[in-house]
Amino acid sequence: MKRLVVFFRRNRTKIYFAVVTILLLLLFTFVVNMGIIVLRGQWSLSLPMTQWLTFLVLIIGNLSILFWQYLRWRQSESLIRLIRDLRQIASQNSDMTIAWHAPYAPKTQALINVSNQIAQNTRKIREEERQSERSKDEMITNISHDLRTPLTAIIGYLGLVEMNGDSISTADRNKYIHTAYDKSNQMKVLVEDLFEFSKTQAHDAVLNITTLSLGDLFAQLLASYELEARDRHIKLTQMTNPELIIFEGDSDKLARALMNLITNAFKYGDGATFIKLTAQVKESQVEIHVINDGVAISSDAIGDIFDRFYRVESSRNSKTGGTGLGLAIVKGIIEQHHGEVFARSNSELTSVIMTLPLKQIGAGNEKN
């Protein structure tokens, strides 16, 4: 008895459709026979004609019923199988895709396609979350390294002054204090860059959108670097096409992005004779280039320079004064403005190219 119950439970769909099909066939046969009898009386059909007509109608009708019920059974089985697979996926909190197809059930197949798309998106989100966790772990490690190195030096030099204050010479004391001061400034720069970087990564960050002239922004920035450029024998130039480019953006953040790029060109563009800022309007966007003729960035590194804490040098030294966050901050600011940034470099020129919309549209922006 138990086996019989299990059999009926496992095959209830088949049994249901078999019973319904038999009933439909019997009903159709009865209706056809009654109809033929009526037609024979009205049209005076001969017996052979009546038999052939009955046979033909029954064959066509019964085959149609069988085919229709077969399609309905396949569709029902596909839907039941899909529900069972979806329950399994839900119970396992899995991103598994459904590998089988339902050719006889287009609606079920559409559900399968949607389910697979959701699974793929879930898999992508989970991979991004794992990558984010790895990046966070790496970021904590790098922060610890970059903060510990100057902090150790500060404690060491101030400890020498504290413990040997009476025995060390004035020159040594001044040297130790000056070194500790320099290391403190390194930590300050790192903390400020970390703070700025965290603001570019915040989803609820608000931009102070204003209308500004790109040529004026270029001029102000280059003026602030004039003395440093003169000391390094580097020529600073700018060019905009058209001459007056008016666009919308957060002037402080965009100035910070350009300052980071100019500073980066000074630090890492060894042998450069010029740094040039150019801009041109292309349809509804403005394309900004920061160009120098210093040493080229290797092709292996060009795709990674906008990653946080990435430095072109193989070691994590800070002799150039960099924190490894400057270009990551640039990328974050440009993306906040719904733009893109990338770099090109060869033996002649190194260019960082930024594309920004002339009009800032979207939630999260405050426009003055």
Side-chain angles (χ1 to χ4, degrees):
M1 184 65 181
K2 186 176 180 181
R3 290 183 179 180
L4 185 62
V5 172
V6 173
F7 173 80
F8 275 102
R9 183 179 299 171
R10 290 180 178 177
N11 299 276
R12 58 179 179 270
T13 305
K14 294 180 181 178
I15 295 172
Y16 167 78
F17 276 99
V19 171
V20 171
T21 302
I22 292 172
L23 292 175
L24 288 174
L25 291 174
L26 292 175
L27 178 62
F28 179 75
T29 302
F30 173 77
V31 171
V32 168
N33 286 327
M34 294 301 296
I36 293 296
I37 292 174
V38 173
L39 291 176
R40 183 181 179 185
Q42 291 179 351
W43 295 351
S44 301
L45 298 175
S46 62
L47 181 61
M49 179 64 70
T50 302
Q51 292 175 340
W52 274 107
L53 182 60
T54 303
F55 176 77
L56 183 63
V57 172
L58 286 176
I59 287 294
I60 296 175
N62 288 337
L63 288 177
S64 299
I65 291 172
L66 289 173
F67 180 71
W68 173 249
Q69 285 296 97
Y70 174 76
L71 284 181
R72 291 187 62 224
W73 170 69
R74 291 295 298 267
Q75 292 170 359
S76 179
E77 285 287 324
S78 298
L79 185 59
I80 292 171
R81 182 181 177 185
L82 175 61
I83 294 172
R84 184 171 59 248
D85 288 352
L86 289 177
R87 284 176 176 170
Q88 180 182 358
I89 293 173
S91 64
Q92 297 176 354
N93 193 23
S94 172
D95 55 10
M96 178 183 69
T97 56
I98 298 173
W100 55 272
H101 299 278
Y104 297 98
K107 293 182 179 179
T108 303
Q109 183 61 50
L111 291 174
I112 292 174
N113 295 338
V114 171
S115 174
N116 287 341
Q117 185 63 47
I118 293 173
Q120 292 170 3
N121 292 339
T122 302
R123 188 178 302 141
K124 181 180 178 182
I125 291 171
R126 288 183 175 177
E127 180 58 34
E128 289 175 351
E129 289 176 349
R130 286 191 286 266
Q131 180 62 36
S132 177
E133 289 298 322
R134 289 192 292 266
S135 298
K136 288 179 181 178
D137 293 341
E138 181 183 356
M139 185 175 180
I140 292 172
T141 301
N142 291 334
I143 291 173
S144 301
H145 177 277
D146 285 349
L147 287 176
R148 183 178 59 185
T149 302
L151 182 60
T152 302
I154 291 170
I155 294 173
Y157 283 109
L158 292 181
L160 289 174
V161 175
E162 175 71 18
M163 291 183 293
N164 305 298
D166 297 333
S167 59
I168 61 176
S169 64
T170 302
D172 285 340
R173 180 185 292 106
N174 291 339
K175 175 184 175 183
Y176 298 157
I177 294 175
H178 179 72
T179 303
Y181 178 75
D182 285 344
K183 297 298 181 181
S184 299
N185 282 331
Q186 286 184 18
M187 291 182 64
K188 178 186 176 184
V189 171
L190 176 59
V191 171
E192 288 177 347
D193 282 352
L194 280 171
F195 179 67
E196 186 65 32
F197 176 73
S198 66
K199 288 196 296 183
T200 65
Q201 302 302 301
H203 296 294
D204 57 350
V206 177
L207 299 180
N208 183 25
I209 300 298
T210 59
T211 301
L212 57 141
S213 166
L214 194 53
D216 291 343
L217 181 61
F218 283 175
Q220 293 172 10
L221 290 173
L222 293 184
S224 64
Y225 286 96
E226 186 175 348
L227 292 178
E228 183 176 359
R230 188 182 304 166
D231 293 339
R232 294 173 179 263
H233 306 289
I234 293 176
K235 184 179 180 181
L236 301 178
T237 59
Q238 70 178 83
M239 183 184 71
T240 56
N241 181 27
E243 184 175 351
L244 180 62
I245 298 178
I246 303 296
F247 74 112
E248 294 179 351
D250 187 319
S251 59
D252 291 337
K253 288 185 177 293
L254 291 174
R256 175 63 186 268
L258 289 170
M259 288 171 63
N260 283 5
L261 293 176
I262 296 171
T263 302
N264 211 66
F266 276 125
K267 290 178 180 177
Y268 303 106
D270 294 338
T273 62
F274 70 84
I275 296 175
K276 186 175 184 179
L277 304 183
T278 69
Q280 58 179 327
V281 175
K282 292 186 174 180
E283 297 180 355
S284 61
Q285 293 186 320
V286 58
E287 185 175 281
I288 302 171
H289 291 238
V290 179
I291 309 168
N292 73 83
D293 61 342
V295 64
I297 303 173
S298 68
S299 57
D300 294 334
I302 197 73
D304 300 321
I305 61 173
F306 293 99
D307 293 343
R308 57 192 177 195
F309 287 104
Y310 183 85
R311 295 192 183 106
V312 176
E313 302 102 320
S314 57
S315 62
R316 286 190 50 78
N317 68 77
S318 55
K319 292 181 180 179
T320 53
T323 64
L325 285 172
L327 294 183
I329 292 172
V330 172
K331 180 181 179 182
I333 291 173
I334 298 305
E335 288 181 347
Q336 283 181 331
H337 284 78
H338 312 290
E340 296 180 349
V341 60
F342 59 95
R344 293 176 183 157
S345 186
N346 54 41
S347 58
E348 297 179 357
L349 295 175
T350 295
S351 302
V352 176
I353 300 101
M354 299 173 287
T355 57
L356 295 165
L358 293 172
K359 299 285 186 180
Q360 290 292 322
I361 301 175
N365 293 339
E366 289 185 354
K367 187 173 177 180
N368 294 338

mmCIF file of all heavy atoms in Angstrom, residues 88-109:
data_model
loop_
_atom_site.group_PDB
_atom_site.id
_atom_site.type_symbol
_atom_site.label_atom_id
_atom_site.label_comp_id
_atom_site.label_asym_id
_atom_site.label_seq_id
_atom_site.Cartn_x
_atom_site.Cartn_y
_atom_site.Cartn_z
ATOM 1 N N GLN A 88 15.438 24.151 -4.720
ATOM 2 C CA GLN A 88 16.757 23.660 -4.324
ATOM 3 C C GLN A 88 17.780 24.796 -4.318
ATOM 4 O O GLN A 88 18.586 24.925 -3.387
ATOM 5 C CB GLN A 88 17.210 22.561 -5.283
ATOM 6 C CG GLN A 88 18.581 21.988 -4.940
ATOM 7 C CD GLN A 88 19.016 20.926 -5.934
ATOM 8 O OE1 GLN A 88 18.281 20.591 -6.862
ATOM 9 N NE2 GLN A 88 20.207 20.397 -5.748
ATOM 10 N N ILE A 89 17.722 25.646 -5.360
ATOM 11 C CA ILE A 89 18.643 26.787 -5.425
ATOM 12 C C ILE A 89 18.410 27.733 -4.255
ATOM 13 O O ILE A 89 19.346 28.220 -3.622
ATOM 14 C CB ILE A 89 18.466 27.523 -6.765
ATOM 15 C CG1 ILE A 89 18.938 26.634 -7.930
ATOM 16 C CG2 ILE A 89 19.238 28.840 -6.767
ATOM 17 C CD1 ILE A 89 18.636 27.212 -9.296
ATOM 18 N N ALA A 90 17.119 27.971 -3.943
ATOM 19 C CA ALA A 90 16.791 28.881 -2.845
ATOM 20 C C ALA A 90 17.235 28.312 -1.504
ATOM 21 O O ALA A 90 17.735 29.039 -0.641
ATOM 22 C CB ALA A 90 15.299 29.168 -2.841
ATOM 23 N N SER A 91 17.057 27.010 -1.308
ATOM 24 C CA SER A 91 17.434 26.400 -0.032
ATOM 25 C C SER A 91 18.943 26.395 0.174
ATOM 26 O O SER A 91 19.423 26.484 1.309
ATOM 27 C CB SER A 91 16.901 24.964 0.039
ATOM 28 O OG SER A 91 17.508 24.151 -0.967
ATOM 29 N N GLN A 92 19.700 26.301 -0.911
ATOM 30 C CA GLN A 92 21.162 26.290 -0.824
ATOM 31 C C GLN A 92 21.775 27.669 -0.946
ATOM 32 O O GLN A 92 22.999 27.812 -0.862
ATOM 33 C CB GLN A 92 21.733 25.382 -1.925
ATOM 34 C CG GLN A 92 21.328 23.933 -1.802
ATOM 35 C CD GLN A 92 21.830 23.084 -2.967
ATOM 36 O OE1 GLN A 92 22.390 23.612 -3.932
ATOM 37 N NE2 GLN A 92 21.644 21.788 -2.870
ATOM 38 N N ASN A 93 20.916 28.698 -1.151
ATOM 39 C CA ASN A 93 21.406 30.060 -1.370
ATOM 40 C C ASN A 93 22.494 30.048 -2.436
ATOM 41 O O ASN A 93 23.569 30.634 -2.286
ATOM 42 C CB ASN A 93 21.941 30.661 -0.066
ATOM 43 C CG ASN A 93 22.154 32.157 -0.177
ATOM 44 O OD1 ASN A 93 21.553 32.828 -1.023
ATOM 45 N ND2 ASN A 93 23.023 32.694 0.656
ATOM 46 N N SER A 94 22.189 29.361 -3.523
ATOM 47 C CA SER A 94 23.188 29.084 -4.559
ATOM 48 C C SER A 94 23.010 30.015 -5.753
ATOM 49 O O SER A 94 21.945 30.586 -5.973
ATOM 50 C CB SER A 94 23.067 27.624 -5.013
ATOM 51 O OG SER A 94 23.870 27.363 -6.130
ATOM 52 N N ASP A 95 24.098 30.173 -6.504
ATOM 53 C CA ASP A 95 24.028 30.910 -7.760
ATOM 54 C C ASP A 95 24.090 29.947 -8.954
ATOM 55 O O ASP A 95 24.553 30.301 -10.033
ATOM 56 C CB ASP A 95 25.150 31.948 -7.854
ATOM 57 C CG ASP A 95 26.534 31.341 -7.651
ATOM 58 O OD1 ASP A 95 26.638 30.099 -7.629
ATOM 59 O OD2 ASP A 95 27.505 32.111 -7.510
ATOM 60 N N MET A 96 23.596 28.721 -8.731
ATOM 61 C CA MET A 96 23.608 27.684 -9.762
ATOM 62 C C MET A 96 22.655 28.048 -10.896
ATOM 63 O O MET A 96 21.570 28.581 -10.668
ATOM 64 C CB MET A 96 23.209 26.356 -9.144
ATOM 65 C CG MET A 96 23.136 25.183 -10.116
ATOM 66 S SD MET A 96 22.579 23.675 -9.282
ATOM 67 C CE MET A 96 20.864 24.115 -8.922
ATOM 68 N N THR A 97 23.071 27.769 -12.103
ATOM 69 C CA THR A 97 22.209 27.994 -13.257
ATOM 70 C C THR A 97 21.495 26.699 -13.628
ATOM 71 O O THR A 97 21.940 25.605 -13.269
ATOM 72 C CB THR A 97 23.021 28.485 -14.467
ATOM 73 O OG1 THR A 97 24.063 27.536 -14.761
ATOM 74 C CG2 THR A 97 23.636 29.844 -14.183
ATOM 75 N N ILE A 98 20.389 26.816 -14.344
ATOM 76 C CA ILE A 98 19.599 25.666 -14.783
ATOM 77 C C ILE A 98 20.044 25.287 -16.188
ATOM 78 O O ILE A 98 19.952 26.100 -17.121
ATOM 79 C CB ILE A 98 18.099 26.004 -14.749
ATOM 80 C CG1 ILE A 98 17.690 26.334 -13.299
ATOM 81 C CG2 ILE A 98 17.268 24.862 -15.301
ATOM 82 C CD1 ILE A 98 16.277 26.849 -13.169
ATOM 83 N N ALA A 99 20.539 24.059 -16.335
ATOM 84 C CA ALA A 99 21.188 23.662 -17.586
ATOM 85 C C ALA A 99 20.228 23.088 -18.622
ATOM 86 O O ALA A 99 20.555 23.043 -19.812
ATOM 87 C CB ALA A 99 22.291 22.645 -17.294
ATOM 88 N N TRP A 100 19.062 22.621 -18.218
ATOM 89 C CA TRP A 100 18.159 21.978 -19.173
ATOM 90 C C TRP A 100 17.239 23.005 -19.836
ATOM 91 O O TRP A 100 17.113 24.134 -19.388
ATOM 92 C CB TRP A 100 17.335 20.886 -18.485
ATOM 93 C CG TRP A 100 16.568 21.336 -17.280
ATOM 94 C CD1 TRP A 100 17.015 21.378 -16.000
ATOM 95 C CD2 TRP A 100 15.211 21.810 -17.252
ATOM 96 N NE1 TRP A 100 16.033 21.851 -15.165
ATOM 97 C CE2 TRP A 100 14.909 22.122 -15.897
ATOM 98 C CE3 TRP A 100 14.226 22.000 -18.210
ATOM 99 C CZ2 TRP A 100 13.663 22.608 -15.502
ATOM 100 C CZ3 TRP A 100 12.979 22.476 -17.826
ATOM 101 C CH2 TRP A 100 12.718 22.782 -16.487
ATOM 102 N N HIS A 101 16.607 22.590 -20.940
ATOM 103 C CA HIS A 101 15.741 23.476 -21.716
ATOM 104 C C HIS A 101 14.319 22.904 -21.777
ATOM 105 O O HIS A 101 14.097 21.714 -21.569
ATOM 106 C CB HIS A 101 16.288 23.658 -23.138
ATOM 107 C CG HIS A 101 17.641 24.273 -23.161
ATOM 108 N ND1 HIS A 101 17.871 25.621 -23.062
ATOM 109 C CD2 HIS A 101 18.874 23.705 -23.274
ATOM 110 C CE1 HIS A 101 19.155 25.873 -23.120
ATOM 111 N NE2 HIS A 101 19.798 24.731 -23.248
ATOM 112 N N ALA A 102 13.385 23.790 -22.046
ATOM 113 C CA ALA A 102 11.979 23.388 -22.156
ATOM 114 C C ALA A 102 11.449 23.801 -23.525
ATOM 115 O O ALA A 102 10.733 24.806 -23.652
ATOM 116 C CB ALA A 102 11.167 24.035 -21.037
ATOM 117 N N PRO A 103 11.766 23.033 -24.587
ATOM 118 C CA PRO A 103 11.379 23.443 -25.949
ATOM 119 C C PRO A 103 9.870 23.448 -26.170
ATOM 120 O O PRO A 103 9.376 24.171 -27.035
ATOM 121 C CB PRO A 103 12.068 22.399 -26.831
ATOM 122 C CG PRO A 103 12.274 21.209 -25.947
ATOM 123 C CD PRO A 103 12.520 21.763 -24.578
ATOM 124 N N TYR A 104 9.130 22.632 -25.394
ATOM 125 C CA TYR A 104 7.685 22.566 -25.582
ATOM 126 C C TYR A 104 6.939 23.571 -24.694
ATOM 127 O O TYR A 104 5.708 23.642 -24.757
ATOM 128 C CB TYR A 104 7.171 21.155 -25.272
ATOM 129 C CG TYR A 104 7.730 20.092 -26.187
ATOM 130 C CD1 TYR A 104 8.806 19.300 -25.795
ATOM 131 C CD2 TYR A 104 7.198 19.898 -27.465
ATOM 132 C CE1 TYR A 104 9.323 18.327 -26.642
ATOM 133 C CE2 TYR A 104 7.712 18.940 -28.306
ATOM 134 C CZ TYR A 104 8.783 18.163 -27.891
ATOM 135 O OH TYR A 104 9.303 17.206 -28.732
ATOM 136 N N ALA A 105 7.694 24.297 -23.857
ATOM 137 C CA ALA A 105 7.068 25.234 -22.922
ATOM 138 C C ALA A 105 7.797 26.579 -22.981
ATOM 139 O O ALA A 105 8.710 26.819 -22.195
ATOM 140 C CB ALA A 105 7.097 24.661 -21.506
ATOM 141 N N PRO A 106 7.437 27.431 -23.939
ATOM 142 C CA PRO A 106 8.153 28.715 -24.091
ATOM 143 C C PRO A 106 8.089 29.603 -22.856
ATOM 144 O O PRO A 106 9.048 30.299 -22.540
ATOM 145 C CB PRO A 106 7.456 29.365 -25.290
ATOM 146 C CG PRO A 106 6.151 28.651 -25.449
ATOM 147 C CD PRO A 106 6.379 27.273 -24.934
ATOM 148 N N LYS A 107 6.964 29.581 -22.132
ATOM 149 C CA LYS A 107 6.871 30.398 -20.921
ATOM 150 C C LYS A 107 7.804 29.875 -19.839
ATOM 151 O O LYS A 107 8.455 30.657 -19.136
ATOM 152 C CB LYS A 107 5.429 30.430 -20.420
ATOM 153 C CG LYS A 107 4.471 31.165 -21.349
ATOM 154 C CD LYS A 107 3.060 31.210 -20.772
ATOM 155 C CE LYS A 107 2.119 31.971 -21.705
ATOM 156 N NZ LYS A 107 0.732 32.008 -21.181
ATOM 157 N N THR A 108 7.870 28.562 -19.709
ATOM 158 C CA THR A 108 8.796 27.979 -18.746
ATOM 159 C C THR A 108 10.236 28.274 -19.128
ATOM 160 O O THR A 108 11.080 28.576 -18.276
ATOM 161 C CB THR A 108 8.586 26.458 -18.644
ATOM 162 O OG1 THR A 108 7.225 26.195 -18.298
ATOM 163 C CG2 THR A 108 9.503 25.844 -17.610
ATOM 164 N N GLN A 109 10.518 28.210 -20.436
ATOM 165 C CA GLN A 109 11.873 28.519 -20.904
ATOM 166 C C GLN A 109 12.230 29.972 -20.606
ATOM 167 O O GLN A 109 13.370 30.284 -20.254
ATOM 168 C CB GLN A 109 11.985 28.239 -22.403
ATOM 169 C CG GLN A 109 13.387 28.452 -22.972
ATOM 170 C CD GLN A 109 14.406 27.532 -22.335
ATOM 171 O OE1 GLN A 109 14.200 26.323 -22.246
ATOM 172 N NE2 GLN A 109 15.511 28.103 -21.879
#
